[in-house]
Structure formats: structure tokens, C-alpha cells
Amino acid sequence: MARLACGIDIGGSGVKAALVNLDTGEFSTDHIRIETPRPATPDAIAHVCRQLLEGLNVGPEIPVGIAFPAPVINGVIRFMANLDDSWVGIDVNELMMRHLGRPVFPLNDADAAGLAEAVYGAARGIPGVVIVTTQGTGIGSAIILDGVLVPNSELGHLEIDGYDAEKRASAGQKTLQGLDWQQWAERLQRYYSHVEMLFSPDLFVVGGGVSQNHEKFMPLLDLKTPMVPALLLNTAGIVGAAHWAATHAAR
Ligand code: BGC
């Protein structure tokens, strides 16, 4: 029997969940998506998580991982850039225990995506330092060292030229500001060459929906570090959260 865990990925527009086959990193069921409630308060999101677990029929023996668009330090949200401010200081375990009546394993969404790429995707088996960035409303980052995650890196909030980097160089800003590929690539160049200077990584992996169009912007970048698109695309957050839950439940 396949080893299973459940992953939930909380995003700005949708909250998605699926059961994941941990041997393959693939969904073992169809995923379920519920629109992100407005305002996206802790209680409202926890209620959605409950609906998702019920919808997937997740039994108490199946570990549940939840990916948040925020740093998660010992289960506590420290700041929240793109959801609701009332998350600051929330202890996720306490919140979910109240709503779901079970423990969960929370982590940052980009860390989840990075883990998924390290275990099943584009960063699999790569030695050294891999930086996975997720391009969406914000820029998420995961630092992977020899396959092990260094959590909560938050490289989307580097201050570059006086700006919060994700307010200039995220895929969300490309859309909002109507930038063409060339204009966006100039911002990406500034961003990734700065990250490259700070960390000298061995590989960049770029995820998020826009990575499907990697041939439109990656060839425009001039970096010393090789850069490849993510392999898991929009399943990465769920798969990484499920993997995280399974490894932590086993401890
Ligand atoms: C948040 C990160 C998150 C990223 C992608 C950023 O604004 O601070 O924690 O990983 O957006 O959702």
C-alpha cells in the first residue's frame, strides 16, 4: 500500500488540498479547491481546512501538512504579507486543534514547494545550495542545502533599490503593472543577480504558474548560476506540505 499524507496549500485566491502518494510525489486523489474566504482570517481559513479534510475523507491516521504564505516559526505566524493581518502571532497548532480536533504540521508555502522539488522534482539529488523561488502574488523562497531545507528564508522581502523585492519582481506585479516579458526580465535580472551575489547558489529553481512560460524570460537573464523551471508546478505546495507532515509525524 502506498504511503499517504494530506497536503493543504493556502493561497491568496484558493485553498487547495489533496492526498499525496509519498512514494511518487503524485496526487492519489483529485485535488479539491475552495475559494479563499474574504477576509482570510484565521478562523475562516481553519473552517475551509476542515471542509477540505472532510471532502477528502482524511482519517486521523493520515498526517496533514499545511502550507502558509508566511514564515512559520515553531508553529507561529510572525508576519503575513499577502493574506490577513490578523494572522500575526497566531499559533497554527492551537488554531487547527480547535477547528479540526487534530494536530497538523504547518510550514511556509515556498518551503513546501522547495521541499517537493528537492524530493521529487527539479532539485532532486542536486548537491550544494539550491534556491527555489516561487513566483506568484509575492516571491517565496526556499534554501535547500544537500537536500535539507533551511526554513523561513523570505528572500522575496530583500530590499533592493529601496523596494521590497516582490513588489517589483514578482509575477503578480508583472500582471498588475502590465509589464512585457522583456520589462519583467530586467527586474528579474536585478533580483536574481542580487540573490546570486549574496548566496552563490549552485542552482536556481523557479516555480509558480509563470514557470510554464520559462522560455519567455529565462533566456533573457544573464546569471552565473544555472536556472531551471520547477517540475511540480501547481502541485508543489500540496506535495511538499504532505511530505513535511509525514516526516514530522514519524519523529
Ligand atoms: C511571504 C512568504 C511567501 C511568499 C509566497 C511572501 O510575501 O512573505 O512567506 O512564501 O510570499 O507566498
Side-chain angles (χ1 to χ4, degrees), residues 69-71 79 81-82 108-110 134 138-140 154 157 166:
F79 70 87
N82 296 311
N108 171 259
D109 59 359
T134 59
I139 298 178
E154 293 298 322
H157 297 295
E166 71 176 22

Side-chain angles (χ1 to χ4, degrees), residues 25 32 42 78 83 95 106 109 123 127 133 142 156 159 166-167 196 208 222 240 243:
I32 308 187
R78 285 282 173 78
L83 220 51
L95 172 78
D109 59 359
T133 55
E159 187 182 315
E166 71 176 22
K167 292 280 179 299
E196 174 177 78
D222 179 17
H243 177 82

